[in-house]
């Protein structure tokens, strides 16, 4: 019984969002709140496309997410391999500097980051949104832990067979870190899709904004059409919600293989 009530508490906000998206503006602001609309307002979903360029912003979000995931997988896996398997001067100090980024709030380097991208002409561009997110300290640490967990005998056998460091990384060790790569991919997808602060700062034109910024602009200065906002939010969250439900076990397995709890 307690499990059922706990599950209902977790699902209730999602169900409430669905009901709000089908309500009228008066019903969404009524006191006491209406548990179910008298007439389902399916037109709220069509109104979203009139308020914001939903299709274009959705496409921008998809492109930004794909590019961010590709960058994270490439750079974080290579950095994690270097810190875990290669011996070079200052590796411990460099790793400490990289991990120290996790202790610094993103707002601290927001202005310098903006100035750099502005000087490169990246305002209102996809690559300007993507560039700061193609590398992360968390992804580097995650992949480092994954490479540290692999047996050294594989590395020694590959070197005896004549493999150079890149072949050892690409052909031998990287395929064995698939659980951690899957976890990094899914976590990065959720981060890139839901990232609001940086795209909100760097984009000013609605046609160049990702979807999450477009949804933020649906909130008016004096009043907000909550049913339309809820309808847009449901359509925006549906792809990543479905992806996470289908692949959540891979996230758990990847974190477990990496030794993170």
């Amino acid at each position: 019984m307690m499990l059922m009530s706990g599950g209902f508490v977790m699902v209730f906000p999602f169900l409430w969002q669905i009901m709000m998206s089908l309500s009228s503006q008066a019903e969404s602001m009524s006191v006491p709140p209406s548990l179910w609309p008298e007439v389902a307002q399916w037109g709220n979903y069509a109104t979203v496309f009139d308020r914001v360029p939903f299709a274009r912003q959705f496409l921008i979000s998809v492109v930004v997410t794909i590019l961010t995931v590709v960058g994270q997988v490439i750079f974080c896996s290579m950095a994690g391999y270097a810190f875990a398997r290669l011996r070079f001067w200052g590796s411990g100090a460099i790793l400490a500097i990289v991990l120290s980024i996790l202790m610094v709030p993103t707002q601290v380097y927001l202005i310098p980051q903006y100035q750099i991208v502005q000087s490169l002409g990246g305002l209102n561009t996809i690559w300007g949104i993507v560039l700061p997110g193609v590398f992360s300290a968390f992804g580097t640490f995650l992949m480092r832990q994954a490479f540290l967990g692999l047996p050294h005998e594989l590395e020694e056998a590959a070197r005896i067979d004549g493999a150079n460091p890149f072949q050892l990384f690409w052909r031998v060790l990287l395929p064995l870190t698939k659980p951690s790569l899957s976890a990094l991919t899914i976590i990065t997808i959720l981060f890139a899709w839901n990232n609001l602060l940086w795209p909100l700062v760097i984009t000013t034109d609605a046609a160049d904004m990702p979807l999450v910024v477009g949804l933020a602009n649906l909130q008016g200065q004096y009043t907000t059409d909550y049913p339309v906002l809820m309808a847009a939010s449901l359509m925006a969250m549906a792809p990543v919600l479905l992806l996470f439900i289908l692949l959540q076990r891979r996230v758990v397995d990847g974190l477990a293989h990496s030794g993170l709890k």
Side-chain angles (χ1 to χ4, degrees), residues 3-212:
L3 291 176
M4 292 180 61
S5 60
F8 177 76
V9 170
M10 294 178 63
V11 176
F12 179 76
F14 181 67
L15 297 177
W16 181 258
Q17 186 177 10
I18 295 176
M19 291 185 290
M20 285 281 289
S21 69
L22 297 174
S23 302
S24 63
Q25 177 71 348
E27 289 173 330
S28 67
M29 303 183 68
S30 63
V31 180
S34 302
L35 295 179
W36 188 257
E38 295 183 4
V39 179
Q41 305 293 324
W42 296 102
N44 291 333
Y45 290 87
T47 305
V48 174
F49 294 89
D50 298 330
R51 300 284 181 85
V52 295
F54 187 90
R56 178 174 175 81
Q57 292 178 351
F58 184 90
L59 179 61
I60 291 176
S61 292
V62 171
V63 174
V64 168
T65 301
I66 292 175
L67 293 178
T68 303
V69 169
V70 172
Q72 286 265 351
V73 169
I74 293 176
F75 292 116
C76 292
S77 61
M78 294 178 69
Y81 169 74
F83 285 122
R85 294 292 183 171
L86 302 182
R87 296 293 177 263
F88 54 93
W89 184 86
S91 60
I94 297 174
L95 178 61
I97 294 174
V98 171
L99 296 182
S100 66
I101 299 175
L102 296 173
M103 298 182 290
V104 179
T106 57
Q107 294 84 353
V108 172
Y109 48 83
L110 186 64
I111 295 178
Q113 190 171 270
Y114 176 86
Q115 292 174 337
I116 293 173
V117 174
Q118 183 185 32
S119 64
L120 295 175
L123 299 183
N124 290 308
T125 62
I126 291 179
W127 73 263
I129 301 173
V130 172
L131 188 60
V134 295
F135 177 81
S136 70
F138 171 79
T140 301
F141 179 71
L142 177 67
M143 295 308 301
R144 174 182 177 272
Q145 295 301 109
F147 283 113
L148 283 176
L150 299 178
H152 289 277
E153 290 76 10
L154 292 173
E155 187 175 357
E156 295 173 356
R159 285 177 175 172
I160 292 175
D161 291 338
N164 57 43
F166 182 77
Q167 291 173 331
L168 178 63
F169 162 72
W170 184 254
R171 296 185 178 181
V172 180
L173 298 181
L174 185 63
L176 299 177
T177 62
K178 286 183 178 179
S180 297
L181 285 175
S182 299
L184 177 62
T185 299
I186 298 171
I187 292 172
T188 305
I189 289 174
L190 296 176
F191 163 77
W193 190 268
N194 296 315
N195 188 21
L196 172 62
L197 180 59
W198 174 246
L200 183 63
V201 170
I202 203 172
T203 57
T204 56
D205 189 354
D208 299 318
M209 294 176 178
L211 190 55
V212 65

